[in-house]
Structure formats: structure tokens, C-alpha cells
DNA sequence: CATGAATGAGCGTTCATTCAT
DNA sequence: AATGAATGAACGCTCATTCAT
């Protein structure tokens, strides 16, 4: 019974509304999206925004944390499918596509994080994703599909350099090129 | 031919001083370097700065144009070396390394460009670089070293996604991975 | 006789806790002590604080009233000691010293009162103190120790100008100088 | 020829306007007078105010410095009159009256200084006043009018405790009482 | 043409107060 | 009656830009 049993129903709702509005406004207007504008988009007053997030930096950190949560969930789902017999290389490929598209949607959030040097509020999702990815890589290497010198750091490199602010076709091409560096297969003339 | 060629001597000098100061201040303090600080670093008053560049955006665009000029020059030099018999793949590799290191030094300028969404003021250097790179690629393909589906767009992708704000070792690894997507050689276990 | 005498036990307790917390927080942090902080220090929610005191001004006024209560009690005790035979001039001197030291301890409260222009909520203690002081002055004048033109207003002047935010030595010197204006004795070279 | 020969004519005028407006607004509304309101009262934009005074604290410090300048000038004039034969005690009395009235006009400025803990920007006027007052005191003591234990610190005590926010009659009475502590004359029943 | 003083919209943040629960 | 989440006007301050000198 360690609940703080208060009627926090609306407070929770507000927190969600604020995070959604923050992601949206920052994506639309970049890091210079104003706190007032985010609050207005969320349908609350600034004071409420500040009750939930004492800083602009903290707000951005929370948006990032939410995003990382999705990444971690995706990675873990991939691991499970591999455990169920799916080929690791395919799962890695799909996971990377998934992350890339998610990053594209939140591209400006990354920029805001850089400008404000906001760290994710919670390190747990990062670790979860790292564990899952390590597992995928190892399986892929055991299958002989992934180059033996590939490490989790290559994944970070990939996440941090994906062309999130370019058209989907550019991202697809970029992933093709990058993957040929990760796999043992090289590229034939046709792909 | 309504060119003005009057005592532009100091005006040209001022323009140069301002561009240098802008690059330096933005590299030091990021996009939030103030116009007053740039002017002070250039040894002129703000008004003078605004006479040369009506906007902060325009100033950043000019800094980027200058940078692109260097890129174009590097690409053209590579073409000449290839014409003199150097292997195209090697020249491409070195050129990419060079651009990447230059970008890393000016990374804050790129960030400023994003925040202010500044386009280069002058398209000429971009074209010069494109011509030179196209030539290099074609030679590399004729040599059988570069994958036949590689285009100039892949180079843009490379420039725009280089991890300029990460350590040199990360950039080296990244280039290795990326290049294996451009070449016909794939990667052996050892590189 | 529409007095309410219901289970006010905890309400009274809360009122006391709030007043104590207010005095403490204002003494610690000056007039800019926040209502939230005072409420937290009192162990209640802001809403409760506002139930007891509709305003910050009213809260400060209540703190002052409490303080004045102490002053009145001191004055009345002095009157009783004079009635029992103590010399009025000595009692006045000691009383003034006492008030001055108490004011010094609560100096931030006085500052808050000024900033918020808060009057004491309850006039009764002021009157009690006035009556007692008038009695002391009259006795002192009858004794020939207090200058005949001295009035209760001189006491107010004294309270309101005591250097409460200066070291105790400054306060002592100040009282010496001031008292020589109230008494018939002047000052010899030695005091 | 160490002039900065620029046409600062209006800048100087603005500085004056800002100081006047600051004194006025702070006197009217206390320390919480807003920077925007002061700027508006001065007829300039906030930015201009901040060009002249980087802080609210600095602005208040400048107002105080101006006030201290007047005090110093008054003290020095008194010294000159004494040198010309005027009785030191009279001059001290008049000087104190003068300072007291000036303080009364600027009463809120003192409060603002306390709240913002602003020190005068320039220590020189304080020293000038101190020198002049010391001279007056010594002459008064040589004349046998001022009590031999009186020091400059007693003057500071007096300045800092004058009832500046009370009616002129209260200030007059207060000065009478206080002076009887400074002089060797005591008070007869008639004054 | 250069100067630098002036402008003022805008920012992130605070806090006394209100009100749904 | 108590709670604490929500409100929003106000604050001190910044900085790209304009314009009188």
C-alpha cells in the first residue's frame, strides 16, 4: 500500500498533456518554442507547467525520457522475436528503421536537448535498450551475419547520426549504406 | 555593368574581420553568441556589422558559404590529383576525412545554421563541390572501386550526418562503416 | 452571544503553528519568504494557511500583533514593579532595553510589515502598552526623573527608530543618547 | 585631453532622467517599483535603462550615491561656515535637520537599498561626509558644546535611525531628544 | 560610412491567490 | 475543514534590430 492515494487523476492527465504539447511545439518551432506557448498548447497555465517541470531543461529531459522508453520497448520486443526464432539481422534492421522514424518525428527534440544540454531524467530506459541491443548483436554475430567487431557503440553512432531531418527516402538510403558496414555481406550491385 | 569598385579596401577588410569573428564567437559560445559580442570581437560597432549583414541569419549563411568554399577547393584539388593519376577511391576517402574534421572544428556553426535555418548565401561553391565530387565518383566507378549506384546525394548524406560533435575516434569508426557502403569491397574482419 | 466554541482545538493549534512558522521563515529569509514555504514550515497546506489568514499582509499583521502582546505584557509587569516600589526611571530603562532586543530578534518582521504596509490586526495590545507606559512616565515625572514634556509619543518614536538591525553595542549607545533626552539628568562626561 | 569626445549629450540626459524617475518611483511605490515602470516614468525603454544600469541593484546603488553626494556637499558647506566663524553646534544641528529632511524625501530608497542590499557605487562621498563631520564634531568639542565622547559613529547612528517615514513634527521632536544626548547642555524644562 | 545609444517584444521564472476535490 | 494543483499577472533581464548623431 505505498500509494500516495490522492485524486491525482487530473494532475496525471495534465502531465501527459504537457509532455505531448512540448514534443509537438518543439518539433514545430525548434528549441526556441516558448514555455508559454507549450503551456497554451497543452491547455494549462504556465504555472501548472512549472509545477510539473521546474525547468525548461527538465521538461525537455522528460520528453527525451519518454522517447527513450519507446526505443527500449522496441529493442526488447525485437529480442523476444529473436528468442522465438526470428533472424537477428532482420530484427536489427527493423529496429533501426523504427528508431530512425521515431527520431525523425522528434527531430527537433534532439536539437533542443543539445542546446539545453538536457540529460534524460531517468537512465533506466537507456540501460534496457543497451541490454537488448547487445543481445541482438551477439546473436547476429553467432549467426555469422554481423561483423565481429560491431559493438553497441556502433548503434549509438547510428542513432546519433541518422538524418532525421531529411525525407524518408534519404533515411532509407542511409540505412542501406550504414548496414553494409555492420554486416558481413557487403553490397551486391542490386541493393 | 554597374559595378562599384570604389575605396572598398576597408569595407572588404571589415567584412573579413566580421566573418572571422563570427566563426570564432559561434564556435566558442554556440548559436547564442550575440551580435554585439561578434561585433566587439571584430573590432567594429554593431551598426557596421548590420551594414554588411542585414540579419544574424545572413551572417551565419555567409560563414557557411566561406566554409563551403574550402570544401569546394578541397574537392577540386582531389580531382586534379586524380587527373594526375592518383586513385579516385583514395582521394575520396581523404577528402571525406578532411571535410569531416573541418566540420568538427566548426560544429557550432552548423548548429547555428540549423537553429536559424540559414541557407548558404551563395550557391556557387556548392555547385563547384558537386561537380568535382561527381567527377571523383565516376572515376571511382570506372575503376571498379565505387559501387555503381553511388551518387552525389550519398555525399550530401555523408556530410550532413557526420558525428561532428563526437570524439575523433567516433568519426573515424563512422567513416569506416559508411565507406564500406560506398565501395565494392565490403569489410574484412580486420578493418 | 453568537460565539462559536466548537472543536476548534486543532484550528487553534494550526493557527499557532502557522504564526510560529511565519515568524521563523520571515526572520530567516526576510519579507520574501513565500506563503508556500511558510505553510510547509508549519506543516499545513497553503489552502489551510489562507483559511486562517486571507492575505500575506494579514498574516504579517498577526505576527506583529503577537509581538505587541509581549511588549504590552512587559510594560504591565514594569508598572506592577513600580507599584511595588521600584523606581520608574529604572523600569522604563529596562523596559526599553527589553523591547529593543526583542525588536532586534524580529527585525525582518518589521521589514516585512513595512513592505506590505501591514497594521497590527488587533489594537488591544497597543492600548494596554500605552496605558502602562503612560503610568510609568507619570510616575517618573512625579519622581522628578523624567522631563515634564515627555509623552507616550516619545516612546513610539523610540520604538520605531531603534537601530534593530545593528549590533547590540550600537543599540546600547543609541539608548544612552536617547535617554538623556528623556531624563532631567543630562549626561556627565562618564556615561 | 582624456575626454571620450563622443556626442554623449543625450545619453547623459537619459541617465539623469532615469535616476530621477527611479528615485521618484521607488519613493512612491517602494522597493517593488518595477524596472518597466521606472523606465516608463523616465520616458525611455527598458533596454535603455539596462544599458545605463545593468541591474536593479546597480540602479538603486546609483540613486543612493547621488543622495550621499548631497549629504557630503551639505557637510562640507557647514565646515566652511564654521571656518568663517559660525558656531559648530548650530551648524551640526542644521546639517542634521537637512539630512533628515533629505532622507525623508528618499525614505523608500533606503528601504530598497536594504532589500536589494545595494552598496553605494562610489565610496568617495561617504568619506567626504565623514571628514567634514569629524571636523565639525571636533570644533564643537573644542567649543565645549559637544560631549567629549561623541564620535562620527554617533552620526551614523543618527542617520540610520531618523524617523524618515513620519511627520516633520516627529522628526523635529526626535532631533531635539537626540541632540540632548550629544551636547553638554542637557535639556531645560522649556525645550 | 561608422558609431553606439535606444528600442521593445520576448523569455524563463516566481508567487500570491483561487478552487475543485 | 484541509488539501495541493491550477492560475496568470508580474518580474528582472536579454538581444536582434533600428536610427540619430
Amino acid at each position: 500500500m505505498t500509494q500516495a492515494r490522492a485524486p491525482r487523476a487530473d494532475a496525471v492527465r495534465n502531465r501527459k498533456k504537457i509532455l505531448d504539447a512540448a514534443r509537438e511545439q518543439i518539433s514545430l518551432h525548434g528549441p526556441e518554442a516558448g514555455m508559454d506557448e507549450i503551456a497554451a498548447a497543452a491547455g494549462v497555465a504556465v504555472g501548472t507547467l512549472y509545477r510539473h517541470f521546474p525547468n525548461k531543461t527538465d521538461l525537455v529531459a522528460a520528453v527525451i525520457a519518454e522517447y527513450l522508453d519507446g526505443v527500449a520497448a522496441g529493442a526488447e520486443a525485437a529480442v523476444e522475436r529473436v528468442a522465438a526464432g526470428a533472424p537477428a539481422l532482420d530484427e536489427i534492421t527493423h529496429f533501426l528503421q523504427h528508431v530512425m522514424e521515431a527520431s525523425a518525428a522528434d527531430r527537433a527534440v534532439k536539437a533542443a536537448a543539445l542546446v539545453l544540454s538536457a540529460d534524460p531524467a531517468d537512465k533506466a530506459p537507456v540501460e534496457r535498450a543497451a541490454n537488448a541491443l547487445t543481445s541482438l548483436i551477439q546473436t547476429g554475430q553467432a549467426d555469422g551475419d554481423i561483423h565481429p567487431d560491431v559493438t553497441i557503440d556502433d548503434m549509438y553512432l547510428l542513432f546519433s547520426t541518422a538524418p532525421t531531418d531529411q525525407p524518408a527516402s534519404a533515411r532509407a538510403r542511409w540505412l542501406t549504406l550504414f548496414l553494409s558496414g555492420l554486416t558481413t555481406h557487403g553490397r551486391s550491385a542490386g541493393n
Side-chain angles (χ1 to χ4, degrees), chain A residues 163-181:
Chain A
T164 49
D165 49 359
Q166 295 183 38
S169 60
R171 286 197 295 280
R173 171 70 177 166
W174 180 86
L175 189 55
T176 300
L177 294 177
F178 208 102
L179 275 177
S180 81

Side-chain angles (χ1 to χ4, degrees), chain A residues 137-158:
Chain A
I137 292 170
Q138 286 170 345
T139 309
Q141 287 170 332
D143 292 350
D145 291 329
I146 303 274
H147 201 285
D149 69 1
V150 168
T151 71
I152 181 88
D153 285 340
D154 294 331
M155 298 294 112
Y156 294 148
L157 211 43
L158 194 148

Side-chain angles (χ1 to χ4, degrees), chain A residues 27-122:
Chain A
S27 280
L28 282 174
H29 307 119
E32 59 271 337
M35 294 297 262
D36 282 21
E37 278 155 354
I38 293 172
V44 302
V46 239
T48 303
L49 192 161
Y50 275 94
R51 165 171 287 270
H52 288 277
F53 305 96
N55 275 325
K56 188 171 189 176
T57 297
D58 289 358
L59 174 57
V60 172
V63 171
I64 294 170
E66 235 194 9
Y67 158 75
L68 289 176
D69 236 55
V71 171
E76 286 169 347
V79 170
E80 276 175 32
R81 282 191 297 271
V82 169
L89 181 56
D90 286 7
E91 288 300 330
I92 288 183
T93 304
H94 293 140
F95 169 71
L96 294 178
Q97 273 170 341
H98 164 76
V99 170
M100 232 170 44
E101 295 313 315
S103 296
D106 280 353
R107 79 194 147 84
V109 173
K110 269 171 66 178
L114 277 177
V115 168
L116 299 169
S117 53
D119 274 325
D122 184 355

